């Protein structure tokens, strides 16, 4: 009787170890299958919502290039990024992507809400959805 209990415990121990070794491999294989089924990165899928992404900056533009770079690496293609550079020097800002629009208000807005509305009133097209990054 003692050996059968020891055998049962040993089998349970092996199943627990085997589960922890095999499960990550199965999850990775499912990820690869799903990744292959997604269309190419720049193709606009039918029914894909059109996003406007507003990024606001006040007096400082140091963090804008990494933010925009991150946004341009989205696994989504139907969007425009509007940068509202309020009271900023935009002479050093240069983005080589047509999806990035830099807006420089003539007068200082000094308010996130005013910056948001400034961008909304200057949208290049009607967007279905809006995302704001402050």
């Amino acid at each position: 009787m003692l050996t059968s209990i020891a055998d049962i415990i040993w089998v349970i121990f092996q199943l627990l170890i085997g589960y922890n070794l095999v499960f990550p491999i199965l999850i990775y294989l499912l990820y690869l299958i799903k990744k292959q089924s997604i269309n190419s990165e720049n193709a606009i899928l039918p029914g894909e919502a059109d996003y406007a992404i507003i990024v606001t900056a006040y007096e400082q533009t140091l963090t804008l290039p990494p933010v925009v770079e991150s946004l341009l690496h989205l696994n989504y293609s139907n969007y425009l990024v509007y940068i509202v550079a309020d009271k900023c020097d935009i002479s050093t800002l240069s983005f080589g992507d047509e999806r990035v629009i830099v807006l420089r208000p003539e007068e200082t807005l000094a308010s996130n809400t005013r910056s948001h509305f400034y961008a909304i009133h200057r949208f290049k097209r009607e967007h279905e959805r809006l995302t704001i990054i402050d």
Side-chain angles (χ1 to χ4, degrees):
M1 177 101 176
L2 186 61
T3 59
S4 66
I5 292 175
D7 289 340
I8 292 172
I9 292 173
W10 179 246
V11 169
I12 292 172
F13 178 73
Q14 288 179 336
L15 287 174
L16 289 173
I17 296 297
Y19 169 80
N20 287 316
L21 293 174
V22 173
F23 188 68
I25 294 169
L26 291 176
I27 294 296
Y28 181 68
L29 290 174
L30 289 174
Y31 164 76
L32 290 177
I33 291 169
K34 182 180 176 189
K35 184 178 177 183
Q36 288 178 351
S37 69
I38 296 174
N39 289 348
S40 70
E41 185 176 312
N42 292 327
I44 296 176
L45 300 173
E48 196 174 58
D50 184 19
Y51 277 86
I53 302 172
I54 299 175
V55 179
T56 59
Y58 181 73
E59 292 183 345
Q60 296 182 3
T61 59
L62 186 63
T63 59
L64 287 178
V67 169
V68 171
E69 183 69 27
S70 174
L71 291 172
L72 293 176
H73 281 86
L74 288 172
N75 196 12
Y76 196 82
S77 59
N78 196 15
Y79 64 91
L80 292 177
V81 178
Y82 298 91
I83 298 173
V84 181
D86 188 17
K87 199 177 173 184
C88 295
D89 176 22
I90 61 170
S91 62
T92 59
L93 289 180
S94 175
F95 303 103
D97 196 300
E98 60 195 27
R99 295 175 290 182
V100 180
I101 297 117
V102 179
L103 303 171
R104 173 75 166 79
E106 300 80 32
E107 298 178 13
T108 302
L109 302 173
S111 164
N112 277 341
T113 307
R114 282 189 230 144
S115 293
H116 301 159
F117 282 113
Y118 183 85
I120 290 168
H121 293 301
R122 285 155 184 79
F123 280 174
K124 299 293 181 187
R125 62 181 185 240
E126 284 194 35
H127 299 281
E128 295 174 62
R129 299 189 179 139
L130 171 66
T131 301
I132 297 173
I133 299 175
D134 284 326

